[in-house]
Amino acid sequence: MNENDIERLIREESQRVEIKTTAASILERYRIEEKVKKTSKKPWYRRPSFMVGAPAFGIVAVLSIGLGTYFGLGAGGGGQPSVGSSGGGQVVIPLGDTRIQAASYEVLAGMSFIGSTGSDTQAAAVRRARQVSETQFEQICAAFDSHYGMIATLESYSASGFVYTPIASDDPSMPYCIQIADFKFYYDAPLQDEDETLIQGYTTTLDGQRLQTVRIESEQEYEPGESESEIEVTLISADGTSVTIAQTNESEGSESEDEFSLIQRDARGRELTEISFQLESEHGQTEKTFDIEVSEGRELEWSYTIFDETSTSMKLAFEGEDGEISYRNPILVELDPRVYTYGELEYRP
Amino acid sequence: MSSDEILSALRAMKSGDMDGFEPFYEQTKRMVFFAAKAVLKDNARSEDVMQDVYIRFLEMLDRIEEDRGVVGLLVKMARNLALNILEREQRSVELDENLHGSISATDNLGSDLFERMRKLLDDDEYEIVILHVVDELKHREIAEMMSLPLGTVTWKYNRAIAKLQKGLGDLR
């Protein structure tokens, strides 16, 4: 082979190397970063700590998202036990190749309990709910405690049955990595202002294949007797598709309102799917309403009203258009003194 | 690669038409990716660097002059960002084995030819060959970028080609 042959070989081979990143995903990341710059009320500053509350909530939401091929959304109780006692369930919506899972109200509600009250009872309940062994739970707590000095937040992680493996990194922009099941989550140190937090990161498979870019923005305000919080999680896949999940919560006394939305966009930023649902709770009664729009204006509304703190059964009422909804695989899990219900709501367009 | 297409896309972006980014990216991404890979040697981190380069590029779009060699600028940014990563790693007292493991694993996602080149060539030779053959930089531009005398770059390149001729003979 002469020099030209060698050069030709290298050029040909360079064309075969697959670059997964798309122009759309870069543009999306750029737009998000620009948006954050413009909307930041105060300059971010770095603090090597981790917050209990909305950011932890967001992380867990992301962890749910990253597992398997599911995207997940957790709906917490905003620290209100009355909401947390509701049954919830799982909403599984097949959308082409991507199944979007909005899941696990109860576990995340339990996290809110832990975050706000540190209740041993709730911690135990949540632990049982996800079948995390006592030993594993303690090991994870110890690891997290030594890493961040905040056991309560770790309980939130372990409560969802995750294996937490903090991995030291020399990269100051990516100071920690969490290994959960078959995925690794690299996260930037939270950028925090008094009531605002930004966390950036990405997920990979264990062999390093990058899956998604993750951005979590949250804001919360607390005053005696009332609170407001917002969290937005954006996941950008290597193919440019993205999912933005947002939650707002307003709580005052025994009343609480949560609103969730999930928007799936294609690689060009066009909205494919928008799903939103609301939870209103007062004195232990929770009403949930789902509004779903699946591309091209097809709409579907779901609603069900159930649960009080002592209920051991649930009833579901669905109203749908342009699709069938079924409820399947209900599993009752007893968690003294409450009953939690797991199952899946499936929408077939 | 068409420099006219790149320039046309750049003009579109500078005038606010971000549809120009896609053709611009498609025309330049391999050069940026391989400029990072020439330093970092693995695909995953090179792709990360590539993304960061384009984000920075978009942030400074208003300040980029059309008559400047925009591809050279991107390649230089990629190389500098990749070198920053290497420096940080070298300062590190200890890198977690798991992290190393994940990086090593990604190396195998690259092509066999580049793996073999890595084994046959030293770091400078590997980088010079990539920059010259894939990124189409002249030896003079590489010398400037790497702060090496032109003669050294030419000599290293010729030596690298000789090594590859010998080591890759089975591919003829």
Side-chain angles (χ1 to χ4, degrees), chain B residues 2-164:
Chain B
S2 161
S3 56
D4 286 345
E5 285 180 55
I6 292 173
L7 192 59
S8 170
L10 178 63
R11 282 181 183 145
M13 284 189 288
K14 283 179 70 68
S15 66
D17 177 9
M18 294 312 285
D19 285 346
F21 181 70
E22 185 166 356
F24 179 84
Y25 174 75
E26 292 302 325
Q27 290 284 344
T28 57
K29 67 181 181 184
R30 277 183 199 283
M31 288 177 281
V32 177
F33 174 83
F34 276 98
K37 185 178 167 76
V39 175
L40 295 171
K41 314 283 195 303
D42 76 85
N43 288 356
R45 288 185 302 167
S46 301
E47 197 154 341
D48 289 346
V49 165
M50 184 195 72
Q51 291 182 10
D52 290 342
V53 165
Y54 283 105
I55 294 293
R56 293 186 186 201
F57 165 78
L58 289 169
E59 287 171 348
M60 59 189 285
L61 190 57
D62 291 343
R63 304 195 298 276
I64 291 176
E65 297 168 13
E66 290 177 16
D67 57 352
R68 284 187 58 190
V70 67
V71 173
L73 176 68
L74 292 172
V75 167
K76 197 167 185 177
M77 287 166 70
R79 183 173 188 271
N80 289 341
L81 285 175
L83 286 172
N84 287 345
I85 289 175
L86 275 192
E87 280 176 22
R88 279 206 296 270
E89 286 180 359
Q90 284 160 3
R91 282 203 304 270
S92 165
V93 176
E94 180 179 319
L95 258 179
D96 186 281
E97 285 182 4
N98 288 336
L99 189 57
H100 272 311
S102 69
I103 290 168
S104 301
T106 64
D107 291 350
N108 296 328
L109 298 173
S111 76
D112 183 51
L113 177 65
F114 288 108
E115 292 302 312
R116 292 178 65 178
M117 285 171 59
R118 277 181 55 187
K119 290 173 184 162
L120 292 167
L121 306 178
D122 68 28
D123 287 349
D124 276 356
E125 291 166 350
Y126 182 83
E127 186 174 0
I128 289 168
V129 168
I130 296 284
L131 290 174
H132 182 65
V133 178
V134 182
D135 285 352
E136 300 180 10
L137 297 185
K138 296 180 173 66
H139 286 170
R140 175 182 51 74
E141 294 171 312
I142 296 170
E144 192 178 321
M145 193 175 287
M146 295 179 71
S147 300
L148 291 172
L150 174 59
T152 302
V153 169
T154 305
W155 181 75
K156 281 178 180 283
Y157 181 78
N158 290 334
R159 190 175 64 174
I161 291 296
K163 284 183 183 178
L164 294 175

Side-chain angles (χ1 to χ4, degrees), chain A residues 237-255:
Chain A
S237 299
D239 64 2
T241 58
S242 68
V243 173
T244 299
I245 301 163
Q247 180 208 358
T248 59
N249 169 263
E250 291 182 23
S251 297
E252 186 174 353
S254 62
E255 297 178 13

Side-chain angles (χ1 to χ4, degrees), chain A residues 98-321:
Chain A
T98 306
R99 300 181 74 191
I100 300 175
Q101 181 187 46
S104 304
Y105 308 106
E106 51 288 307
V107 170
L108 291 162
M111 287 163 44
S112 295
F113 291 138
I114 295 167
S116 58
T117 68
S119 160
D120 288 341
T121 304
Q122 284 300 329
V126 170
R127 188 166 64 241
R128 284 171 54 193
R130 287 303 188 198
Q131 298 179 329
V132 177
S133 75
E134 191 75 27
T135 305
Q136 185 185 20
F137 189 75
E138 286 175 3
Q139 286 172 344
I140 295 169
C141 287
F144 196 89
D145 189 29
S146 65
H147 207 65
Y148 292 113
M150 286 192 182
I151 290 177
T153 305
L154 176 65
E155 288 178 342
S156 304
Y157 286 115
S158 58
S160 297
F162 300 138
V163 176
Y164 172 85
T165 309
I167 299 173
S169 169
D170 67 320
D171 184 345
S173 68
M174 286 287 165
Y176 65 99
C177 171
I178 305 167
Q179 181 180 328
I180 295 163
D182 295 333
F183 299 90
K184 285 185 174 181
F185 301 84
Y186 291 87
Y187 283 109
D188 199 346
L191 303 176
Q192 295 178 324
D193 194 8
E194 288 176 355
D195 52 9
E196 297 173 70
T197 303
L198 171 68
I199 300 173
Q200 300 178 91
Y202 55 87
T203 61
T204 72
T205 56
L206 289 186
D207 65 3
Q209 183 187 349
R210 191 152 164 169
L211 298 173
Q212 295 159 333
T213 300
V214 181
R215 173 179 287 271
I216 305 161
E217 300 168 61
S218 70
E219 184 175 355
Q220 57 277 312
E221 293 178 16
Y222 296 106
E223 290 181 15
E226 59 184 286
S227 67
E228 288 184 23
S229 65
E230 291 181 30
I231 184 163
E232 186 175 292
V233 181
T234 301
L235 299 148
I236 306 166
S237 299
D239 64 2
T241 58
S242 68
V243 173
T244 299
I245 301 163
Q247 180 208 358
T248 59
N249 169 263
E250 291 182 23
S251 297
E252 186 174 353
S254 62
E255 297 178 13
S256 177
E257 285 184 26
D258 287 271
E259 181 167 345
F260 306 87
S261 69
L262 186 153
I263 299 173
Q264 187 186 34
R265 292 185 174 88
D266 68 11
R268 292 185 175 274
R270 293 176 300 204
E271 286 187 15
L272 296 177
T273 307
E274 180 171 356
I275 299 171
S276 65
F277 57 100
Q278 298 81 38
L279 283 75
E280 292 183 21
S281 172
E282 185 176 6
H283 305 301
Q285 295 286 344
T286 302
E287 180 172 335
K288 306 179 185 188
T289 306
F290 295 80
D291 299 310
I292 297 181
E293 183 168 332
V294 185
S295 55
E296 297 177 356
R298 290 188 296 149
E299 291 186 1
L300 185 69
E301 290 186 358
W302 303 352
S303 66
Y304 60 101
T305 306
I306 6 167
F307 312 134
D308 58 41
E309 287 198 51
T310 58
S311 173
T312 56
S313 64
M314 61 187 291
K315 55 184 178 182
L316 299 170
F318 296 121
E319 294 175 2
E321 293 177 6

